[in-house]
Amino acid sequence: MNSVKVTPKTLIDMKRNGRKIAMITAYDYPTARIVDQSGVDIILVGDSLGIFMHGLDDTKYVDLEDIVHHCRVVSRAAIRALTVGDMPFGTYLNEDIALINAARIIKEGGVDSVKLEGGREVVDIVHSLTRSGINVMGHIGFTPQRAIESSTFPVQGLESNAAEAIIEDAIELERAGAYALVLEFVSAEVSKIVSEELDIPVIGIGSGPYCDGQVLIFHDVVGLREGKSPAYAKKYIDLQEIVKDAVARYVKDVRDGLFPSRGNYLNMSEEEYMKLVNLLKKKLGEGKSYGLI
Ligand code: KIV
């Protein structure tokens, strides 16, 4: 596989050439290494890590330290894919705060870009970040950080005025310098128009087939989500069942004395062992006997 690093320009070229972009989340080193080697174009260290890695029930509780920490390990593993660190809730309240925090994600986390949620209300912030040389991915449609109830996924843009607002947000974000856009739970009609209107790539989640690319949460793709998989996702393997079965077999082997077996441990040479037995006899008394194993 071609391991030339993906850049924002690569993504724009892919869009121009009609080549779909594949993006996925990863929050740790081994997962990032595997997805990078599987050919994904973008790895997102999403604030969804709060739910999938930390057992939280809302992404709002994720803080900057968490994101920086997970970005640092993911960026070490991502050789080819472009990496994106999510800006957590409350870390881009104004331009100054956003600059300081985005710079930390890039400098300490080592990722190639940041993502933040919101439309026209964050356009000045996006502009100020891009002017400072920070690559920014926008995120509109359903924005979990603003949702009151994040476990439901209401599709956005079903009604004409709301649809128009999403399209205007997208255009404004592109003007502000965003290099790509995530469209979450937007009607297929709106995501088609946005993808056609913008020069930058539009990456959909739950937004239909007309986007320039798709993003999914790793845990949904490999069957590691706790509970039922959402309808917008596609489960390619049930890793949870496979891992449970493997660990249960390990537990059984331990209980049955079948693990460890020859090959899982080392033996002393017979000569060194006999020397040890003699040493111990002197120390612990002749009565003791230690057999060969
Ligand atoms: O945090 C995340 O994983 C995301 C994706 C759903 C796009 O923002």
Side-chain angles (χ1 to χ4, degrees):
M1 201 213 2
N2 178 1
S3 65
V4 177
K5 179 83 183 168
V6 176
T7 64
K9 180 174 178 314
T10 319
L11 302 175
I12 289 175
D13 289 345
M14 286 176 79
K15 172 168 178 146
R16 285 200 186 122
N17 296 327
R19 195 146 180 254
K20 297 275 187 185
I21 296 161
M23 169 166 158
I24 198 163
T25 59
Y27 317 114
D28 59 63
Y29 181 87
T31 307
R33 188 174 51 80
I34 292 167
V35 301
D36 190 63
Q37 290 173 0
S38 308
V40 297
D41 304 301
I42 309 174
I43 299 178
L44 169 66
V45 184
D47 60 1
S48 52
L49 67 84
I51 291 162
F52 293 97
M53 298 298 283
H54 299 175
L56 299 171
D57 61 3
D58 198 314
T59 57
K60 284 190 198 79
Y61 307 132
V62 171
D63 59 35
L64 190 67
E65 304 308 318
D66 295 327
I67 289 287
V68 169
H69 168 76
H70 287 273
C71 283
R72 202 178 283 134
V73 293
V74 165
S75 61
R76 267 180 221 145
I79 308 295
R80 178 183 173 272
L82 181 139
T83 49
V84 188
D86 234 348
M87 297 198 68
F89 177 72
T91 65
Y92 49 102
L93 294 172
N94 63 39
E95 290 175 36
D96 292 340
I97 293 175
L99 262 176
I100 292 167
N101 292 330
R104 272 201 69 194
I105 295 175
I106 301 284
K107 278 173 79 172
E108 295 175 36
V111 286
D112 304 308
S113 61
V114 297
K115 174 169 85 57
L116 54 89
E117 296 181 8
R120 271 156 293 181
E121 66 281 13
V122 297
V123 155
D124 289 342
I125 292 169
V126 171
H127 194 220
S128 131
L129 294 179
T130 56
R131 239 187 0 231
S132 306
I134 295 174
N135 291 317
V136 179
M137 178 180 276
H139 182 159
I140 52 172
F142 180 71
T143 45
Q145 288 179 11
R146 282 155 208 268
I148 300 199
E149 173 55 87
S150 66
S151 59
T152 53
F153 301 112
V155 176
Q156 315 285 305
L158 292 174
E159 183 266 316
S160 57
N161 287 331
E164 188 189 16
I166 292 172
I167 295 162
E168 280 170 5
D169 280 344
I171 292 168
E172 289 291 320
L173 285 167
E174 178 174 62
R175 279 198 194 124
Y179 74 88
L181 210 59
V182 166
L183 267 192
E184 181 162 356
F185 302 114
V186 166
S187 64
E189 289 77 7
V190 172
S191 65
K192 182 168 187 289
I193 294 171
V194 172
S195 305
E196 285 169 5
E197 284 303 313
L198 301 194
D199 290 327
I200 59 171
V202 175
I203 318 287
I205 175 162
S207 300
Y210 304 106
C211 300
D212 304 307
Q214 297 292 327
V215 52
L216 279 180
I217 286 173
F218 173 79
H219 292 61
D220 286 327
V221 173
V222 299
L224 284 176
R225 181 187 278 267
E226 199 177 339
K228 203 170 164 291
S229 282
Y232 65 83
K234 183 167 174 183
K235 194 202 283 189
Y236 288 83
I237 189 173
D238 197 344
L239 221 47
Q240 206 157 174
E241 286 313 308
I242 292 172
V243 173
K244 265 190 209 161
D245 177 62
V247 176
R249 285 193 287 124
Y250 160 69
V251 171
K252 186 171 182 323
D253 276 0
V254 171
R255 305 245 199 274
D256 295 347
L258 295 173
F259 178 85
S261 62
R262 291 268 178 211
N264 298 127
Y265 58 88
L266 294 177
N267 289 96
M268 294 174 77
S269 70
E270 197 175 324
E271 191 192 347
E272 284 303 313
Y273 181 64
M274 290 322 296
K275 278 192 208 164
L276 174 68
V277 169
N278 285 329
L279 285 173
L280 291 180
K281 272 187 181 158
K282 276 184 208 138
K283 265 212 174 91
L284 304 174
E286 287 295 328
K288 288 266 180 188
S289 76
Y290 302 94
L292 277 173
I293 53 173

